[in-house]
Amino acid sequence: FIGMSKPLALPVVPIVRHPTRPAVVWAVGSCVFFYDLQQKTCARPLGDGSSSAIRALDARHDAERGTLTWLTAGDEKLLTTWLETEAGGQWQQQEQLSCQKKLTAAIFDGDGRIIFADRFGDVCRWSGGEPELLSSHFAIVTALALSPCQRFLVVGDNHERVRISCYPEAAEIRSFCFGHQMQITAVACEKDLLLSASADGTLRLWNLDGEEQKCWTLDAPISCLSYENGTAVLGLEAPQAQVAQLKVDTGQVDTLISEA
């Protein structure tokens, strides 16, 4: 894969739009890649491929302080925050939480607290000290997202379900989104709309009441998703791994970068 001395196993997962630059950032295995959409260049700010896979990636821009903080979590059972000192450059480790189980998803909320999930279905919130349990699920949680208003928490799992709950009272369920035929791989929100991606190769658009608005069938399983300004950036697994973007209004798909 680009930036590596030897190929890494895919899928590309997860993927995040850079908060302050025209770029996307994603993980492959234990490595993080930074791709500049204008310059068409790729850098690797984190990882040498020697440790366990990163399963979660998120960013928070603090405009008042002028700082950009990244979050990673995964198979090493570590939740870690990093300070980006220069876009595409090396990241500096900040805080770290050691967990008892492998982590499957993690995001920042609007106040900088971290919501994370593990392979046993527990969803917790952490802001230093002991994590707080928000909800438990009878499935592996595979994806998390917050609505822009911060009032709703979206949870995807390996039983093809998307659940929309109140936040932080996550036991209060607003709706479910049914329609995918394989596990949910990613969820993302913009305004009052939700995108969900699945290993079944479909990308579905919903409102927060669980009503499907659109569905796109792609040529490959979707491993990750980022959604902003009406554009979805996707990681596709096969027949060759690639990062693509889809315009939600037109359905147009363009390849940004490919393994080939």
Side-chain angles (χ1 to χ4, degrees):
F1 206 86
I2 287 180
M4 301 299 298
S5 58
K6 60 180 180 179
L8 277 179
L10 298 169
V12 174
V13 59
I15 195 165
V16 178
R17 278 187 173 271
H18 197 282
T20 62
R21 294 174 62 89
V24 289
V25 182
W26 67 84
V28 177
S30 63
C31 297
V32 173
F33 294 88
F34 173 99
Y35 182 72
D36 190 306
L37 294 169
Q38 292 182 343
Q39 301 296 323
K40 310 297 183 185
T41 57
C42 192
R44 191 178 69 205
L46 182 68
D48 58 7
S50 63
S51 55
S52 298
I54 295 170
R55 305 294 181 187
L57 179 69
D58 198 20
R60 181 173 187 267
H61 179 229
D62 189 328
E64 185 174 326
R65 296 182 178 180
T67 58
L68 179 61
T69 304
W70 288 90
L71 161 67
T72 60
D75 290 356
E76 286 192 318
K77 307 178 185 178
L78 296 174
L79 193 68
T80 309
T81 59
W82 310 82
L83 180 65
E84 180 182 291
T85 55
E86 180 181 351
Q90 294 296 309
W91 295 356
Q92 295 180 358
Q93 183 177 321
Q94 301 296 294
E95 296 182 286
Q96 191 169 78
L97 174 69
S98 179
C99 301
Q100 295 183 343
K101 303 160 188 173
K102 291 182 179 181
L103 303 176
T104 56
I107 56 173
F108 286 109
D109 73 5
D111 295 319
R113 294 169 294 193
I114 297 171
I115 305 168
F116 66 93
D118 62 35
R119 287 184 58 83
F120 284 73
D122 288 340
V123 178
C124 301
R125 183 171 64 179
W126 180 60
S127 56
E130 288 296 317
E132 168 193 3
L133 180 66
L134 296 179
S135 63
S136 294
H137 302 252
F138 293 106
I140 297 175
V141 173
T142 55
L144 294 171
L146 276 171
S147 63
C149 66
Q150 302 287 296
R151 294 175 50 214
F152 302 106
L153 176 65
V154 181
V155 179
D157 65 33
N158 69 331
H159 288 176
E160 305 95 38
R161 294 175 301 193
V162 176
R163 186 172 95 173
I164 303 173
S165 302
C166 295
Y167 179 74
E169 298 82 11
E172 184 178 339
I173 300 173
R174 171 168 174 155
S175 61
F176 286 95
C177 303
F178 295 112
H180 288 292
Q181 302 301 309
M182 297 179 70
Q183 77 170 40
I184 308 302
T185 54
V187 290
C189 294
E190 185 175 50
K191 299 180 180 178
D192 57 352
L193 295 173
L194 159 69
L195 273 179
S196 61
S198 170
D200 64 12
T202 65
L203 181 69
R204 297 174 188 265
L205 182 70
W206 317 81
N207 61 27
L208 295 181
D209 291 323
E211 298 169 337
E212 186 176 305
Q213 308 297 298
K214 292 182 180 180
C215 176
W216 300 270
T217 300
L218 303 178
D219 295 332
I222 305 167
S223 60
C224 53
L225 161 70
S226 178
Y227 181 33
E228 185 179 340
N229 297 325
T231 300
V233 178
L234 313 168
L236 303 177
E237 291 187 32
Q240 62 184 27
Q242 61 180 286
V243 177
Q245 67 177 13
L246 180 145
K247 298 289 186 181
V248 170
D249 57 348
T250 64
Q252 177 182 338
V253 179
D254 298 304
T255 300
L256 298 178
I257 190 169
S258 175
E259 184 183 26

